[in-house]
Amino acid sequence: KMRISGANQMSIMAKRKTNTYAKKCSNQFTFSEACFAGEVLEEEPSMLDKKPPLKLEISADKEPSQYSPSSGTVINGKPATLKLDLGGSVWIVGCMEGENLTMVKMRFTATNKASIMAKRKSNKYIEACSNQNTFTEACFTGKVPDADPLGPDEKPRIQLEIAGDKEPSQYSPSSSTAINGKHVTLKIDLGGSVWIVGIVEGKILTMVKMRFTGATKAS
């Protein structure tokens, strides 16, 4: 059991080994959290005849962020034509302003809300950085703009107008989700694994707002 903190970085939370597992635990389609049972492995063997501790080699894929900048996102009044998802709802967006490449690194906190992490402006960028298909994190270099203009002859600071799209939640209620024994027929994804689900009971609409904390757990 592990928590991934980067593309190839993680922290081990727990380890288990068992020879009395249920058959369904050896199949990807039926492998579940309930399968995580068995002997707790020691970090180091206490005797030479014992097997060495479990070792894990990790290679991870980055999943899309929960929020993404839409076509309405603009920098200094110009559409952000360059967009790069860094994961965790952190994005780099950019646009061309004459001979300058202007970029903003931000973290979405809601559909149309974000906190600015850093800004860059460069007129010495490589051509690949002006193209969406070849725009990478390495392009985020250049001069750090001042927070405010220093004088009347200075150019105004970089201004960002955010318009975001909500990406699907990590978890979603399945067809077996029920309220008062009746299968849920109404579902709406609010983002961040928060959902509103509902059923119609006669003339009464019954609804529950919940946040998934696991595949089959919610608060």
Side-chain angles (χ1 to χ4, degrees):
K1 186 176 183 180
M2 61 185 176
R3 183 186 302 278
I4 296 178
S5 54
N8 294 300
Q9 296 179 332
M10 56 82 193
S11 57
I12 300 295
M13 301 173 69
K15 302 175 184 179
R16 296 292 186 273
K17 181 175 284 188
T18 178
N19 59 3
T20 57
Y21 58 89
K23 186 177 181 180
K24 63 181 181 180
C25 292
S26 62
N27 188 304
Q28 173 61 46
F29 297 105
T30 51
F31 184 66
S32 68
E33 191 173 2
C35 296
F36 192 72
E39 178 187 358
V40 179
L41 297 173
E42 298 290 342
E43 286 302 316
E44 296 294 339
S46 57
M47 297 175 62
L48 293 178
D49 60 349
K50 285 195 173 183
K51 293 182 179 180
L54 182 67
K55 293 183 179 180
L56 174 68
E57 295 180 17
I58 183 172
S59 178
D61 292 323
K62 184 180 69 177
E63 296 297 328
S65 290
Q66 180 185 345
Y67 300 105
S68 62
S70 71
S71 58
T73 299
V74 297
I75 301 174
N76 293 342
K78 294 187 176 183
T81 55
L82 303 168
K83 304 172 186 178
L84 179 65
D85 184 4
L86 302 181
S89 292
V90 176
W91 286 78
I92 295 175
V93 295
C95 72
M96 299 302 302
E97 294 185 294
E99 297 181 352
N100 290 312
L101 170 59
T102 303
M103 296 166 288
V104 178
K105 187 176 183 180
M106 62 181 178
R107 182 189 300 277
F108 276 97
T109 55
T111 305
N112 294 309
K113 295 182 180 180
S115 58
I116 303 300
M117 302 172 68
K119 302 176 182 179
R120 295 291 186 273
K121 181 172 284 192
S122 174
N123 58 5
K124 298 180 180 179
Y125 59 89
I126 61 174
E127 186 177 352
C129 292
S130 62
N131 188 308
Q132 173 62 42
N133 295 328
T134 50
F135 184 64
T136 68
E137 190 171 6
C139 296
F140 194 72
T141 60
K143 182 180 179 181
V144 179
D146 293 321
D148 290 289
L150 300 176
D153 296 329
E154 294 287 335
K155 293 183 178 180
R157 61 186 178 182
I158 295 176
Q159 295 181 334
L160 175 69
E161 296 178 27
I162 300 165
D165 289 326
K166 182 181 66 180
E167 298 297 326
S169 291
Q170 180 182 0
Y171 299 106
S172 61
S174 70
S175 58
S176 62
T177 301
I179 300 175
N180 295 339
K182 294 186 177 182
H183 290 296
V184 165
T185 56
L186 305 168
K187 308 173 188 178
I188 182 169
D189 183 3
L190 302 182
S193 293
V194 177
W195 287 76
I196 295 175
V197 296
I199 60 170
V200 176
E201 298 180 289
K203 296 183 178 181
I204 298 175
L205 172 61
T206 304
M207 295 168 289
V208 177
K209 186 177 182 180
M210 61 182 180
R211 181 188 301 276
F212 278 95
T213 56
T216 57
K217 296 180 180 180
S219 57

